[in-house]
Amino acid sequence: MKYVNAESIFPVELLNEIQKYVNGEMVYVPITKESRKKWGENSGSKIYLNDRNHEIRQLFLDGIKIDQLSDRFFLSRDSIKKIVYSKK
């Protein structure tokens, strides 16, 4: 999050009104709900995990044991079970 000087973005009238409430304080202006991105959309983590989980499910269907998948993907047996037995 970067900080921007209010004088450089707000009209004088609006800045004067804001100063009535918060004079010299820092204010956080949240992003609109329409502009929010879901977890992992910016970093690509969501896509990575979906691809990894798909690969785990496919390997399980191909006969690879849960213990082997756990070792291969560095996940607990319970995590592997959740992935392979989920309804995705």
Side-chain angles (χ1 to χ4, degrees), residues 49-78:
L49 291 176
N50 284 338
D51 290 346
R52 181 204 64 185
N53 292 350
H54 177 74
E55 182 181 0
I56 289 171
R57 282 187 207 96
Q58 191 58 52
L59 289 169
F60 181 73
L61 291 174
D62 292 344
I64 306 295
K65 304 273 187 239
I66 288 178
D67 287 332
Q68 293 171 313
L69 293 170
S70 176
D71 291 340
R72 182 171 177 173
F73 289 95
F74 305 102
L75 295 170
S76 69
R77 293 184 79 244
D78 288 337

Side-chain angles (χ1 to χ4, degrees), residues 1-86:
M1 174 176 20
K2 66 178 183 175
Y3 297 99
V4 180
N5 188 334
E7 289 180 330
S8 67
I9 58 172
F10 293 130
V12 175
E13 305 82 29
L14 179 56
L15 182 58
N16 290 335
E17 190 65 28
I18 292 170
Q19 286 174 326
K20 290 179 186 176
Y21 298 94
V22 285
N23 194 11
E25 300 287 327
M26 294 176 70
V27 176
Y28 170 73
V29 180
I31 193 167
T32 59
K33 289 190 180 198
E34 298 81 34
S35 299
R36 286 191 184 170
K37 292 188 178 181
K38 294 183 179 178
W39 177 87
E41 288 182 347
N42 278 344
S43 65
S45 296
K46 187 175 186 175
I47 292 171
Y48 166 76
L49 291 176
N50 284 338
D51 290 346
R52 181 204 64 185
N53 292 350
H54 177 74
E55 182 181 0
I56 289 171
R57 282 187 207 96
Q58 191 58 52
L59 289 169
F60 181 73
L61 291 174
D62 292 344
I64 306 295
K65 304 273 187 239
I66 288 178
D67 287 332
Q68 293 171 313
L69 293 170
S70 176
D71 291 340
R72 182 171 177 173
F73 289 95
F74 305 102
L75 295 170
S76 69
R77 293 184 79 244
D78 288 337
S79 294
I80 296 292
K81 285 180 181 181
K82 285 178 188 175
I83 293 167
V84 298
Y85 296 129
S86 68

